[in-house]
Amino acid sequence: MKTATRLEAAAELIPEGSVLLIGGFMAVGTPERMIDALVERGVGGFTVVANDTAMPGHGIGKLVTAGLVAKAIVSHIGLNPETQAKMIAGEMEVELVPQGTLVERIRAGGVGLGGVLTATGLGTPVEDGKQVIEVDGKKFLLEKPIRGDFALIAAKQADYKGNLEYALTAHNFNPVMALAADTVIAEPHVIVPVGAIPPDAVKTPGILVDHLLEREH
């Protein structure tokens, strides 16, 4: 059985300069309480790997506003003008990665692959500085795996052993991120007894979850 971890204690685990894989899809499936705890703690310099930087006042956007993000590896920043302004001002580095490529790079990091071959980005600035590999007469970019020091993910619910169930677009990034980090911190909406989550609804097994945040009071 997992022991529920207090928010403040979980935030204290994350040192300055950590690489954070943060789940969510325009803040859906993002661990809002965990992000609030990081903002309150004020330690940053983070490299954030995520689909996007959400919006000001929401999800990862709170970390951006607080100046805690040194670099973002994301598929787009179109919804967050603060991210755009910080990038233009040179206050924050942004690496834009095609969405499908980003997911596959994280998955590759999680399952131990040496990289991903994709034709996406050939002949564009995405190709700059990357190895081009030819397979059966076709060219592909070698995209390297991504791993994180911590994965911060939200879940619809968890059971006492840390098995996680997700809802809707939270499935897009959260399961692969749980595979690709040294430490996984999960923020469930509710915690239920073992057996309450149907086995085929478990998308992240509890063995992958290091810390299960206590429920919101």
Side-chain angles (χ1 to χ4, degrees), residues 57-106:
H58 297 276
I60 296 167
K62 298 174 187 176
L63 296 175
V64 173
T65 301
L68 302 182
V69 182
K71 180 177 181 178
I73 302 175
V74 292
S75 67
H76 71 87
I77 58 172
L79 296 175
N80 195 328
E82 292 185 0
T83 301
Q84 299 171 39
K86 287 178 179 290
M87 181 185 72
I88 292 169
E91 299 172 4
M92 188 172 109
E93 183 181 352
V94 174
E95 178 183 342
L96 294 174
V97 182
Q99 192 173 74
T101 302
L102 180 60
V103 172
E104 285 300 295
R105 289 179 65 188
I106 297 168

Short mmCIF file of all heavy atoms in Angstrom, two decimals, residues 57-106:
data_model
loop_
_atom_site.label_atom_id
_atom_site.label_comp_id
_atom_site.label_asym_id
_atom_site.label_seq_id
_atom_site.Cartn_x
_atom_site.Cartn_y
_atom_site.Cartn_z
N GLY A 57 -2.19 31.66 -15.56
CA GLY A 57 -3.09 31.32 -14.48
C GLY A 57 -3.58 29.90 -14.47
O GLY A 57 -4.35 29.51 -13.58
N HIS A 58 -3.13 29.10 -15.44
CA HIS A 58 -3.57 27.71 -15.52
C HIS A 58 -2.36 26.79 -15.71
O HIS A 58 -1.49 27.07 -16.52
CB HIS A 58 -4.53 27.50 -16.69
CG HIS A 58 -5.81 28.25 -16.58
ND1 HIS A 58 -6.90 27.79 -15.87
CD2 HIS A 58 -6.16 29.47 -17.07
CE1 HIS A 58 -7.87 28.68 -15.95
NE2 HIS A 58 -7.46 29.70 -16.66
N GLY A 59 -2.34 25.69 -14.97
CA GLY A 59 -1.33 24.66 -15.18
C GLY A 59 0.10 25.21 -15.23
O GLY A 59 0.52 26.01 -14.38
N ILE A 60 0.81 24.76 -16.26
CA ILE A 60 2.22 25.15 -16.42
C ILE A 60 2.37 26.66 -16.57
O ILE A 60 3.41 27.23 -16.25
CB ILE A 60 2.83 24.40 -17.63
CG1 ILE A 60 2.83 22.89 -17.35
CG2 ILE A 60 4.25 24.87 -17.94
CD1 ILE A 60 3.10 22.03 -18.56
N GLY A 61 1.31 27.30 -17.01
CA GLY A 61 1.35 28.77 -17.13
C GLY A 61 1.70 29.44 -15.81
O GLY A 61 2.33 30.51 -15.80
N LYS A 62 1.34 28.84 -14.69
CA LYS A 62 1.68 29.40 -13.38
C LYS A 62 3.18 29.36 -13.13
O LYS A 62 3.76 30.29 -12.56
CB LYS A 62 0.96 28.63 -12.27
CG LYS A 62 -0.56 28.68 -12.34
CD LYS A 62 -1.15 27.76 -11.28
CE LYS A 62 -2.65 27.65 -11.40
NZ LYS A 62 -3.22 26.69 -10.42
N LEU A 63 3.83 28.27 -13.59
CA LEU A 63 5.29 28.18 -13.44
C LEU A 63 5.99 29.21 -14.32
O LEU A 63 7.00 29.79 -13.92
CB LEU A 63 5.76 26.78 -13.82
CG LEU A 63 5.28 25.60 -12.96
CD1 LEU A 63 5.76 24.28 -13.56
CD2 LEU A 63 5.77 25.74 -11.52
N VAL A 64 5.44 29.43 -15.51
CA VAL A 64 6.01 30.43 -16.42
C VAL A 64 5.90 31.81 -15.81
O VAL A 64 6.87 32.58 -15.77
CB VAL A 64 5.30 30.38 -17.79
CG1 VAL A 64 5.78 31.53 -18.68
CG2 VAL A 64 5.55 29.04 -18.48
N THR A 65 4.72 32.16 -15.32
CA THR A 65 4.50 33.48 -14.71
C THR A 65 5.44 33.72 -13.53
O THR A 65 5.96 34.82 -13.34
CB THR A 65 3.04 33.61 -14.24
OG1 THR A 65 2.16 33.43 -15.35
CG2 THR A 65 2.78 34.96 -13.61
N ALA A 66 5.68 32.66 -12.76
CA ALA A 66 6.54 32.78 -11.57
C ALA A 66 8.02 32.81 -11.91
O ALA A 66 8.86 32.97 -11.02
CB ALA A 66 6.26 31.61 -10.62
N GLY A 67 8.35 32.64 -13.19
CA GLY A 67 9.77 32.66 -13.60
C GLY A 67 10.55 31.44 -13.21
O GLY A 67 11.77 31.50 -13.06
N LEU A 68 9.87 30.30 -13.06
CA LEU A 68 10.53 29.08 -12.60
C LEU A 68 10.97 28.17 -13.74
O LEU A 68 11.60 27.15 -13.50
CB LEU A 68 9.61 28.30 -11.66
CG LEU A 68 9.13 29.06 -10.41
CD1 LEU A 68 8.26 28.15 -9.55
CD2 LEU A 68 10.30 29.61 -9.62
N VAL A 69 10.62 28.53 -14.99
CA VAL A 69 10.94 27.69 -16.14
C VAL A 69 12.11 28.29 -16.92
O VAL A 69 12.01 29.40 -17.46
CB VAL A 69 9.73 27.53 -17.07
CG1 VAL A 69 10.07 26.61 -18.24
CG2 VAL A 69 8.53 26.97 -16.31
N ALA A 70 13.22 27.56 -16.97
CA ALA A 70 14.37 28.02 -17.75
C ALA A 70 14.25 27.60 -19.21
O ALA A 70 14.67 28.31 -20.12
CB ALA A 70 15.67 27.46 -17.16
N LYS A 71 13.66 26.40 -19.44
CA LYS A 71 13.51 25.88 -20.80
C LYS A 71 12.22 25.08 -20.87
O LYS A 71 11.88 24.35 -19.94
CB LYS A 71 14.70 24.98 -21.17
CG LYS A 71 14.62 24.39 -22.57
CD LYS A 71 15.86 23.56 -22.91
CE LYS A 71 15.78 22.99 -24.32
NZ LYS A 71 17.01 22.22 -24.68
N ALA A 72 11.53 25.22 -22.00
CA ALA A 72 10.33 24.44 -22.25
C ALA A 72 10.52 23.64 -23.53
O ALA A 72 10.90 24.20 -24.57
CB ALA A 72 9.11 25.34 -22.37
N ILE A 73 10.28 22.35 -23.47
CA ILE A 73 10.29 21.48 -24.65
C ILE A 73 8.84 21.09 -24.88
O ILE A 73 8.28 20.26 -24.16
CB ILE A 73 11.18 20.24 -24.43
CG1 ILE A 73 12.61 20.68 -24.08
CG2 ILE A 73 11.18 19.35 -25.67
CD1 ILE A 73 13.54 19.51 -23.73
N VAL A 74 8.22 21.71 -25.87
CA VAL A 74 6.76 21.62 -26.04
C VAL A 74 6.41 21.59 -27.52
O VAL A 74 7.24 21.89 -28.38
CB VAL A 74 6.06 22.82 -25.37
CG1 VAL A 74 6.20 22.77 -23.86
CG2 VAL A 74 6.62 24.15 -25.90
N SER A 75 5.15 21.25 -27.81
CA SER A 75 4.73 21.21 -29.21
C SER A 75 4.18 22.56 -29.68
O SER A 75 4.14 22.83 -30.88
CB SER A 75 3.69 20.12 -29.43
OG SER A 75 2.48 20.41 -28.77
N HIS A 76 3.72 23.40 -28.75
CA HIS A 76 3.27 24.75 -29.14
C HIS A 76 3.18 25.64 -27.91
O HIS A 76 3.09 25.17 -26.78
CB HIS A 76 1.92 24.70 -29.86
CG HIS A 76 0.76 24.35 -28.97
ND1 HIS A 76 0.06 25.30 -28.26
CD2 HIS A 76 0.18 23.16 -28.68
CE1 HIS A 76 -0.91 24.72 -27.58
NE2 HIS A 76 -0.84 23.42 -27.80
N ILE A 77 3.21 26.95 -28.15
CA ILE A 77 3.07 27.94 -27.07
C ILE A 77 2.00 28.96 -27.42
O ILE A 77 1.94 30.04 -26.83
CB ILE A 77 4.42 28.64 -26.78
CG1 ILE A 77 4.95 29.33 -28.04
CG2 ILE A 77 5.44 27.64 -26.24
CD1 ILE A 77 6.18 30.20 -27.78
N GLY A 78 1.16 28.62 -28.38
CA GLY A 78 0.21 29.59 -28.93
C GLY A 78 -0.82 30.12 -27.96
O GLY A 78 -1.38 31.19 -28.18
N LEU A 79 -1.08 29.39 -26.88
CA LEU A 79 -2.11 29.82 -25.94
C LEU A 79 -1.56 30.67 -24.79
O LEU A 79 -2.33 31.18 -23.98
CB LEU A 79 -2.83 28.60 -25.35
CG LEU A 79 -3.62 27.75 -26.34
CD1 LEU A 79 -4.17 26.50 -25.64
CD2 LEU A 79 -4.76 28.54 -26.94
N ASN A 80 -0.24 30.81 -24.73
CA ASN A 80 0.34 31.51 -23.59
C ASN A 80 1.22 32.68 -24.06
O ASN A 80 2.39 32.48 -24.38
CB ASN A 80 1.16 30.54 -22.72
CG ASN A 80 1.47 31.15 -21.36
OD1 ASN A 80 1.63 32.35 -21.23
ND2 ASN A 80 1.56 30.30 -20.35
N PRO A 81 0.67 33.89 -24.07
CA PRO A 81 1.46 35.05 -24.50
C PRO A 81 2.65 35.33 -23.59
O PRO A 81 3.63 35.93 -24.03
CB PRO A 81 0.44 36.20 -24.47
CG PRO A 81 -0.66 35.74 -23.58
CD PRO A 81 -0.72 34.25 -23.74
N GLU A 82 2.58 34.91 -22.33
CA GLU A 82 3.70 35.14 -21.43
C GLU A 82 4.90 34.28 -21.84
O GLU A 82 6.05 34.74 -21.78
CB GLU A 82 3.31 34.84 -19.98
CG GLU A 82 2.30 35.82 -19.43
CD GLU A 82 1.99 35.60 -17.96
OE1 GLU A 82 2.57 34.67 -17.35
OE2 GLU A 82 1.18 36.36 -17.41
N THR A 83 4.65 33.05 -22.25
CA THR A 83 5.74 32.21 -22.76
C THR A 83 6.36 32.84 -23.99
O THR A 83 7.59 32.91 -24.13
CB THR A 83 5.23 30.80 -23.11
OG1 THR A 83 4.66 30.20 -21.95
CG2 THR A 83 6.36 29.92 -23.63
N GLN A 84 5.52 33.31 -24.89
CA GLN A 84 6.02 33.96 -26.11
C GLN A 84 6.89 35.17 -25.78
O GLN A 84 7.97 35.35 -26.35
CB GLN A 84 4.83 34.37 -26.98
CG GLN A 84 3.95 33.21 -27.43
CD GLN A 84 2.68 33.68 -28.10
OE1 GLN A 84 2.68 34.65 -28.85
NE2 GLN A 84 1.57 33.00 -27.82
N ALA A 85 6.42 36.00 -24.85
CA ALA A 85 7.16 37.21 -24.48
C ALA A 85 8.50 36.87 -23.85
O ALA A 85 9.53 37.50 -24.15
CB ALA A 85 6.33 38.06 -23.53
N LYS A 86 8.52 35.87 -22.98
CA LYS A 86 9.77 35.48 -22.34
C LYS A 86 10.75 34.88 -23.34
O LYS A 86 11.97 35.08 -23.24
CB LYS A 86 9.49 34.48 -21.20
CG LYS A 86 8.86 35.11 -19.96
CD LYS A 86 8.58 34.07 -18.89
CE LYS A 86 7.96 34.68 -17.65
NZ LYS A 86 8.93 35.52 -16.89
N MET A 87 10.24 34.12 -24.31
CA MET A 87 11.11 33.57 -25.35
C MET A 87 11.73 34.68 -26.18
O MET A 87 12.95 34.69 -26.43
CB MET A 87 10.32 32.62 -26.24
CG MET A 87 11.14 31.99 -27.35
SD MET A 87 10.16 30.96 -28.49
CE MET A 87 9.27 32.25 -29.38
N ILE A 88 10.92 35.63 -26.60
CA ILE A 88 11.41 36.74 -27.43
C ILE A 88 12.43 37.59 -26.66
O ILE A 88 13.43 38.06 -27.22
CB ILE A 88 10.23 37.60 -27.91
CG1 ILE A 88 9.38 36.80 -28.90
CG2 ILE A 88 10.72 38.89 -28.56
CD1 ILE A 88 8.05 37.44 -29.23
N ALA A 89 12.19 37.74 -25.35
CA ALA A 89 13.09 38.55 -24.52
C ALA A 89 14.36 37.79 -24.13
O ALA A 89 15.26 38.36 -23.51
CB ALA A 89 12.36 39.02 -23.27
N GLY A 90 14.43 36.52 -24.47
CA GLY A 90 15.60 35.71 -24.11
C GLY A 90 15.61 35.28 -22.67
O GLY A 90 16.64 34.84 -22.14
N GLU A 91 14.46 35.36 -21.99
CA GLU A 91 14.38 34.98 -20.58
C GLU A 91 14.08 33.49 -20.39
O GLU A 91 14.22 32.96 -19.30
CB GLU A 91 13.29 35.80 -19.89
CG GLU A 91 13.56 37.30 -19.91
CD GLU A 91 12.38 38.09 -19.38
OE1 GLU A 91 11.38 37.47 -18.93
OE2 GLU A 91 12.44 39.34 -19.40
N MET A 92 13.65 32.84 -21.47
CA MET A 92 13.29 31.44 -21.39
C MET A 92 13.55 30.79 -22.74
O MET A 92 13.21 31.34 -23.79
CB MET A 92 11.81 31.31 -21.04
CG MET A 92 11.33 29.92 -20.74
SD MET A 92 9.63 29.97 -20.10
CE MET A 92 8.77 29.27 -21.47
N GLU A 93 14.20 29.63 -22.72
CA GLU A 93 14.46 28.90 -23.96
C GLU A 93 13.26 28.03 -24.29
O GLU A 93 12.67 27.41 -23.41
CB GLU A 93 15.71 28.03 -23.80
CG GLU A 93 16.11 27.29 -25.07
CD GLU A 93 17.35 26.42 -24.88
OE1 GLU A 93 17.98 26.51 -23.80
OE2 GLU A 93 17.65 25.64 -25.80
N VAL A 94 12.88 28.01 -25.56
CA VAL A 94 11.76 27.18 -26.00
C VAL A 94 12.22 26.30 -27.16
O VAL A 94 12.74 26.79 -28.15
CB VAL A 94 10.56 28.03 -26.44
CG1 VAL A 94 9.45 27.13 -27.02
CG2 VAL A 94 10.01 28.85 -25.27
N GLU A 95 12.07 24.99 -27.00
CA GLU A 95 12.33 24.04 -28.07
C GLU A 95 10.99 23.50 -28.54
O GLU A 95 10.29 22.83 -27.78
CB GLU A 95 13.22 22.90 -27.59
CG GLU A 95 13.49 21.85 -28.67
CD GLU A 95 14.32 20.68 -28.17
OE1 GLU A 95 14.97 20.81 -27.11
OE2 GLU A 95 14.31 19.62 -28.84
N LEU A 96 10.63 23.82 -29.78
CA LEU A 96 9.36 23.36 -30.33
C LEU A 96 9.56 22.03 -31.03
O LEU A 96 10.43 21.89 -31.89
CB LEU A 96 8.79 24.40 -31.30
CG LEU A 96 8.38 25.74 -30.66
CD1 LEU A 96 7.96 26.73 -31.74
CD2 LEU A 96 7.23 25.53 -29.67
N VAL A 97 8.76 21.05 -30.66
CA VAL A 97 8.85 19.69 -31.20
C VAL A 97 7.48 19.30 -31.74
O VAL A 97 6.48 19.48 -31.04
CB VAL A 97 9.28 18.68 -30.10
CG1 VAL A 97 9.42 17.28 -30.68
CG2 VAL A 97 10.58 19.13 -29.44
N PRO A 98 7.40 18.79 -32.97
CA PRO A 98 6.10 18.33 -33.47
C PRO A 98 5.43 17.39 -32.47
O PRO A 98 6.10 16.54 -31.86
CB PRO A 98 6.46 17.61 -34.77
CG PRO A 98 7.71 18.28 -35.23
CD PRO A 98 8.47 18.60 -33.98
N GLN A 99 4.13 17.54 -32.30
CA GLN A 99 3.42 16.87 -31.22
C GLN A 99 3.62 15.35 -31.20
O GLN A 99 3.92 14.75 -30.17
CB GLN A 99 1.94 17.21 -31.30
CG GLN A 99 1.14 16.82 -30.09
CD GLN A 99 -0.27 17.35 -30.17
OE1 GLN A 99 -1.10 16.84 -30.93
NE2 GLN A 99 -0.56 18.38 -29.40
N GLY A 100 3.43 14.71 -32.36
CA GLY A 100 3.60 13.26 -32.41
C GLY A 100 5.02 12.84 -32.12
O GLY A 100 5.27 11.84 -31.44
N THR A 101 5.98 13.64 -32.60
CA THR A 101 7.39 13.36 -32.34
C THR A 101 7.70 13.49 -30.85
O THR A 101 8.44 12.67 -30.28
CB THR A 101 8.29 14.32 -33.14
OG1 THR A 101 8.00 14.19 -34.54
CG2 THR A 101 9.76 14.04 -32.90
N LEU A 102 7.11 14.49 -30.21
CA LEU A 102 7.34 14.69 -28.78
C LEU A 102 6.87 13.49 -27.97
O LEU A 102 7.58 12.99 -27.10
CB LEU A 102 6.62 15.96 -28.32
CG LEU A 102 6.75 16.33 -26.84
CD1 LEU A 102 8.21 16.56 -26.46
CD2 LEU A 102 5.90 17.56 -26.52
N VAL A 103 5.67 13.01 -28.26
CA VAL A 103 5.14 11.84 -27.55
C VAL A 103 6.05 10.63 -27.76
O VAL A 103 6.37 9.90 -26.81
CB VAL A 103 3.71 11.52 -28.02
CG1 VAL A 103 3.25 10.20 -27.42
CG2 VAL A 103 2.76 12.62 -27.62
N GLU A 104 6.48 10.43 -29.01
CA GLU A 104 7.31 9.26 -29.31
C GLU A 104 8.69 9.36 -28.67
O GLU A 104 9.26 8.34 -28.26
CB GLU A 104 7.43 9.08 -30.82
CG GLU A 104 6.17 8.52 -31.47
CD GLU A 104 5.81 7.16 -30.90
OE1 GLU A 104 6.58 6.21 -31.10
OE2 GLU A 104 4.75 7.05 -30.26
N ARG A 105 9.24 10.56 -28.58
CA ARG A 105 10.54 10.72 -27.91
C ARG A 105 10.44 10.39 -26.42
O ARG A 105 11.33 9.76 -25.85
CB ARG A 105 11.05 12.15 -28.10
CG ARG A 105 11.51 12.46 -29.52
CD ARG A 105 11.99 13.90 -29.64
NE ARG A 105 13.19 14.15 -28.84
CZ ARG A 105 13.72 15.36 -28.65
NH1 ARG A 105 13.12 16.44 -29.17
NH2 ARG A 105 14.81 15.50 -27.93
N ILE A 106 9.33 10.81 -25.80
CA ILE A 106 9.13 10.47 -24.39
C ILE A 106 8.92 8.97 -24.22
O ILE A 106 9.48 8.34 -23.32
CB ILE A 106 7.93 11.25 -23.82
CG1 ILE A 106 8.21 12.76 -23.87
CG2 ILE A 106 7.62 10.81 -22.39
CD1 ILE A 106 6.99 13.62 -23.60
#
